[in-house]
Amino acid sequence: VKNGAMLFGAGTIAGLRVESGATVAPGHSIGTLLVDGNATFQAGSFYEVEVDPANPGSSDEPLITGTADLGGATVRHVGLGDESEYSPVGEWTILVADGGYGATRFADAVAGDYLFLDQSLDYRNNDTEVVLVVARNLRNFSDLAFTRNQRAVANVLDTFTAGSLYN
């Protein structure tokens, strides 16, 4: 996948090389891209993943039968729906490489625009899976209030713990 191009959709390909400035986005909404061979992401490339906030575990996912060189590529979390649909904590497997991946992982920061959520990557199962972890951050609802009434309601919400109204 060349600079400026995007590979998206579901199906099977024989191998994958994502150059700097290119993007891979498996599926249409939630979907799987099977890479029958090795996958290489160069630094400056992007892996764009959608996850279903109402269904932890349901996400775009490339399945790689060989090895994956993640090359410091950036993961973009684009989600499905809006931030209000997420539970305070969720995990989604976003990449599986049967042959594992080398010492170079994805970039440390996950790109995504969520006010109340932090996103991170966890590497599991003997370095064969990459998991997107989404968790409620420490930002208060009152930090975004403008009026006295907004602040009053936000201050009450800030005292709640996880539950239906808080979520």
Side-chain angles (χ1 to χ4, degrees):
V1 184
K2 297 283 188 186
N3 181 9
M6 175 184 271
L7 171 65
F8 64 94
T12 302
I13 58 177
L16 178 63
R17 178 185 159 107
V18 188
E19 295 182 359
S20 180
T23 301
V24 171
H28 294 287
S29 289
I30 301 295
T32 300
L33 177 65
L34 175 63
V35 179
D36 191 11
N38 297 327
T40 301
F41 291 82
Q42 291 183 347
S45 65
F46 300 94
Y47 173 56
E48 193 168 281
V49 62
E50 291 178 303
V51 302
D52 183 351
N55 185 11
S58 180
S59 67
D60 287 337
E61 184 175 34
L63 300 175
I64 302 163
T65 63
T67 60
D69 180 354
L70 306 179
T74 298
V75 174
R76 287 184 186 149
H77 169 209
V78 295
L80 285 176
D82 63 33
E83 182 177 6
S84 66
E85 298 175 12
Y86 283 89
S87 296
V89 176
E91 295 184 353
W92 295 264
T93 299
I94 60 169
L95 185 139
V96 175
D98 291 342
Y101 40 82
T104 306
R105 297 179 172 189
F106 284 124
D108 289 337
V110 177
D113 191 19
Y114 296 94
L115 292 173
F116 298 105
L117 300 173
D118 284 337
Q119 305 156 99
S120 61
L121 299 174
D122 194 11
Y123 299 86
R124 299 183 181 163
N125 292 335
N126 297 318
D127 289 339
T128 60
E129 293 183 3
V130 180
V131 176
L132 173 68
V133 179
V134 176
R136 175 68 163 89
N137 61 27
L138 298 176
R139 175 175 268 162
N140 291 320
F141 294 113
S142 59
D143 293 344
L144 301 174
F146 294 105
T147 68
R148 186 170 24 154
N149 285 340
Q150 288 174 344
R151 273 189 297 285
V153 171
N155 284 329
V156 170
L157 288 174
D158 285 336
T159 65
F160 289 7
T161 58
S164 61
L165 182 59
Y166 178 87
N167 291 358

